[in-house]
Every structure is written in structure tokens, then in C-alpha cells.
Amino acid sequence: MTLILIAMILALLIPIYEACKDEDIWQKMLALASIATKTAMMSLFISVLRDDWMIGVVAVIILSVGNAGLMLLAHVIRRMHEA
Amino acid sequence: MTDALTSAAPVDIYTYFIVALLPLSACMLIFQVNPYHALVLRGILGAIAALVYAVLGAADVALTEALMGTMLAITLYAVAVRSSLVLRLGVINQLADRPGDQPLEPLLAELRTIFGRRHHLRLELVPYPDRAALHQGLMAKEVHVTCVVPSLELAQDSSASPASLPVSAQITYQTTTRLKYLYEIMQAELSTAKTQLSYLDIAKEVQS
């Protein structure tokens, strides 16, 4: 199980590198969406691993709310590029 | 009390890897210069911080970080950055909405390159009916920079003295700013062949 989690952490490093390197803001937004979803999925996996329902509920809320925040930010950036 | 401390579960090896992601993303955020890119990186930092808090067992802190720290802070900062990082350019109305031929377009493109790409400012056009209103707007601090095209005005206005025509025909744009640092940036980076730059000190102007 630890090996699966370490593989997930390594997969998380890919969008972090992408966000660090790429200059285009939409590529950064894609990396943010990827990281937000991946971290929530890791929290869910850990909650199952530890049989801890409290972390699981928090992970589900983060998974849904993270996407709402992403949409708000994308809207503001799109309006800025149009102006 | 001592029993509770010593009987805590041993820290798993993956926890160290997850916690190590936090300073990594924080360094990325610190070394970012573009404010909009920094907002996106703040979202990444918030997502990783929420994961770290959840892994360390603080589910309530993780929820607060995700809801308040990431979503609300990013939204408020996006509004603040968008409304403060703006350069207002006052132009005369006829120049702005003339269909087809846009005399201001080359200067606007150059200003967008200088301020948009290098200094992360947004360019906002503020139209004024005539030159007096434009000057009034600059004095009232409604705009930061004003721009007029003297040759076009002379072509429209027949009462202008013909002696000044050859001089102003060479200068395509006449740009006035009331902010010293904007003047310094434009003086250093704008190609000044077609643009006449001037700095207007409002405090001195009001005294005289």
C-alpha cells in the first residue's frame, strides 16, 4: 500500500513540474486542476487505508469545492484576457 | 498524558514525502513574479497543504484550508489584483471609435507589450470628448496617461495656426503622464521616434 501511495506522490510531481516550468497561464490552470484532484484522491485513499471516515468526508468536500474555486479563477482570468 | 504521547501511531514513510511537497510548492510561489501566475500557484499550495493536514490527522484544519485559505483567498486576491494593476489611458473620443482606420493602434500595441508583458499591468482606455476634458481628467487623477494625435486634430481643426503644422506632422503621438515612474518606464522602453513624451507634475501645476 505504501508503494501505491509513493507512486501517487511521484504522479503528483508531474503537474507540479509542469506548473513550475510552463509560462502559459492556461497550462498552469490545467496543472492546478490536476493537482487539486490528485491530492483529494490521495486523501480518499489514505482515509480508506486508515479506515478513518473523518478524513474521507473532508476529501470528498475538497474534491467538489476545489473544482468550484478553479472555475471562479478561470472566469476572472478569461475576463482579464478579453479586456 | 505521557501515555497518550508515547502510544501515538508510528509515522508512515509516505508521510515524509507528502510533507516534503509543501516547501517545494511554497518555493515555487515565492519565486513567481507574475501576480496572476502566483494566484494559480497559491491554489496548488492550498491543495497540497490540505492534503498534508489531512494526512497528519487534522481534518478540520484541512477543510478550513481548502474552503477559506484557498477558495476565498484566491477569489478576493483575483479581484484585488484585477482592479489595482491597471493603467488608465485617456484618449479623445473620435480617435477611439473611428471605424476602420485606427490611428492609436500601433501605440496601443506597443504599450500593451511594455506594460502587459513586462510589468503585468492591464491597459484600460478612457474616452474624453475633447482636449480640455482630457487635461481636466488628468488633473483630477482619473487617468494615469493621456494620448493625443496632434496631426489628426490639425487636419480636423482649420483654426489651428499653419506655422505649427510641419513640426507636429513629424510627431505622431503626444503622450503625457502624471506619474514619474510611468514616465521613466516609457522613456526607457518606448520607441520614441514617433512619440513625444512629457511628464506633468500635478502639484506644481496646481500651485501655479
Side-chain angles (χ1 to χ4, degrees), chain B residues 29-126:
Chain B
L29 175 58
I30 286 170
F31 292 116
Q32 181 59 251
V33 288
N34 189 331
Y36 290 98
H37 291 198
L39 275 178
V40 179
L41 289 179
R42 176 68 183 82
I44 293 174
L45 177 69
I48 290 175
L51 173 69
V52 170
Y53 298 149
V55 166
L56 293 180
D60 49 346
V61 184
L63 193 60
T64 312
E65 171 64 40
L67 291 179
M68 295 294 117
T70 305
M71 208 181 87
L72 193 68
I74 282 183
T75 312
L76 293 182
Y77 272 114
V79 172
V81 167
R82 193 185 133 77
S83 53
S84 62
L85 282 179
V86 60
L87 173 75
R88 279 197 293 277
L89 176 71
V91 290
I92 292 176
N93 218 352
Q94 291 95 344
L95 298 181
D97 8 292
R98 175 184 287 227
D101 124 74
Q102 283 280 346
L104 278 177
E105 206 45 58
L107 181 73
L108 290 185
E110 201 172 349
L111 283 178
R112 278 199 187 99
T113 317
I114 292 173
F115 289 106
R117 302 264 164 78
R118 290 178 218 157
H119 300 280
H120 316 298
L121 287 171
R122 196 162 50 90
L123 198 66
E124 188 182 300
L125 289 186
V126 185

Side-chain angles (χ1 to χ4, degrees), chain B residues 137-152:
Chain B
L138 188 70
M139 294 298 287
K141 298 187 179 179
E142 288 169 9
V143 289
H144 302 121
V145 182
T146 61
C147 180
V148 288
V149 185
S151 54
L152 266 180

